[in-house]
Amino acid sequence: MSVLKPLLVRLLDVSDSVDLRRVLIVLPALNEEHNIEKVIAEVKAALPDVGVLVVDDGSTDQTSLRARESGARVARLAVNLGVGGAMRTGFRYAVRNGFEVVVQVDSDGQHNPAHVPDLLRELEQADIAIGARFAGKGDYKARGPRRWAMKLFAVVISAISGTKLTDVTSGFKASGPRAVRLFASHYPAEYLGDTLEALVMAARADLKIVQVPVEMRVRAGGTPSTSPVKSAVYLLRATLALTLALVRRKPKTGSFEAA
């Protein structure tokens, strides 16, 4: 009970301001049959009243089957679209099914669902809450070009949003009603669009962005999406992604129809 008490207190605090039945946890998943059941179980244990949607991003294994067996809703994409495409599916599903808040959680076990109440609480005064890995909690490390890029992009997006942010490439985020409507219409699907471009888009739409310190865990199993070769080109590709975000036109909000 001593371990569960802090989480129960946080859940009670959140439920006073957020209807957890209107919260959708979206799990983008690519070949995560070894992790998805455990992640779904953790989400349901920590947040029993929320909806859970697994977006199977063109998996060639049993990800969809394992997710359904675990009690999650599943949207299966015919081809691999990347995290941005998977999340765009999740935001559109949320609007069409009456969910007001969307929380992105990785399917590889690195994001701890116990931090979700902390993100939700911030939506009382913000539109987007980022689970930040470099904000004083945990010992997550990034090195080389990836770390240089993260620092540079944090400075740029902090200036654009008017808020000091330290981890703008985190995939652990909660989006409130205004952000959900915006992203259902315009969520970017390109490389790093789900992080960098989405935040630039939100800032340009006058949405408030904040961050919450979180601890990142080691991947539970399976094959990671990064490699030494990919890390070597990260700086160039991420710079291109941010450049595209800055030159694109300001999006119109609220244009997605929940038909």
Side-chain angles (χ1 to χ4, degrees):
M1 183 64 183
S2 60
V3 175
L4 293 177
K5 186 175 180 180
L7 175 59
L8 292 174
V9 170
R10 293 203 300 272
L11 282 173
L12 289 172
D13 290 343
V14 169
S15 63
D16 289 340
S17 57
V18 178
D19 184 352
L20 295 178
R21 294 170 299 178
R22 294 289 179 262
V23 176
L24 180 67
I25 306 294
V26 177
L27 301 166
L30 174 62
N31 296 331
E32 293 289 359
E33 64 178 3
H34 299 294
N35 298 323
I36 197 66
E37 292 173 292
K38 180 180 178 182
V39 174
I40 292 171
E42 279 196 318
V43 170
K44 288 181 173 292
L47 302 152
D49 294 326
V50 303
V52 181
L53 174 69
V54 173
V55 182
D56 184 343
D57 191 20
S59 296
T60 57
D61 64 2
Q62 299 298 311
T63 295
S64 288
L65 176 62
R66 299 288 179 264
R68 289 193 183 96
E69 290 175 342
S70 300
R73 312 172 199 204
V74 176
R76 187 170 187 179
L77 305 182
V79 296
N80 176 242
L81 298 180
V83 177
M87 284 306 302
R88 183 163 56 191
T89 299
F91 282 113
R92 292 183 174 185
Y93 180 94
V95 171
R96 287 172 172 153
N97 290 275
F99 292 98
E100 298 178 347
V101 174
V102 168
V103 183
Q104 178 181 348
V105 177
D106 281 355
S107 298
D108 59 10
Q110 293 190 72
H111 297 161
N112 188 345
H115 289 303
V116 172
D118 299 323
L119 299 179
L120 296 178
R121 190 178 301 107
E122 291 301 317
L123 295 183
E124 295 180 30
Q125 47 91 29
D127 297 292
I128 297 174
I130 304 170
R133 298 163 290 184
F134 313 115
K137 180 177 285 189
D139 55 1
Y140 181 86
K141 296 290 190 301
R143 298 178 177 82
R146 181 177 292 272
R147 181 56 175 155
W148 305 335
M150 287 177 173
K151 287 185 175 182
L152 172 62
F153 301 146
V155 171
V156 173
I157 295 182
S158 292
I160 295 170
S161 66
T163 304
K164 183 178 179 181
L165 303 170
T166 61
D167 189 5
V168 295
T169 62
S170 171
F172 192 18
K173 295 191 295 291
S175 299
R178 292 206 303 163
V180 169
R181 291 193 296 271
L182 171 67
F183 291 151
S185 299
H186 301 289
Y187 204 73
E190 295 86 356
Y191 178 76
L192 285 180
D194 62 299
T195 53
L196 299 177
E197 187 171 355
L199 293 179
V200 172
M201 181 183 296
R204 286 183 163 178
D206 299 321
L207 302 189
K208 184 175 180 180
I209 304 167
V210 299
Q211 68 178 25
V212 178
V214 299
E215 294 181 76
M216 188 68 66
R217 302 185 299 195
V218 177
R219 181 183 174 87
T223 304
S225 60
T226 59
S227 69
V229 174
K230 290 181 180 179
S231 294
V233 299
Y234 181 90
L235 181 57
L236 177 61
R237 296 182 67 187
T239 300
L240 177 61
L242 182 57
T243 301
L244 288 174
L246 294 173
V247 301
R248 283 181 172 165
R249 291 183 298 176
K250 180 178 178 180
K252 296 180 180 179
T253 58
S255 59
F256 180 73
E257 296 295 333

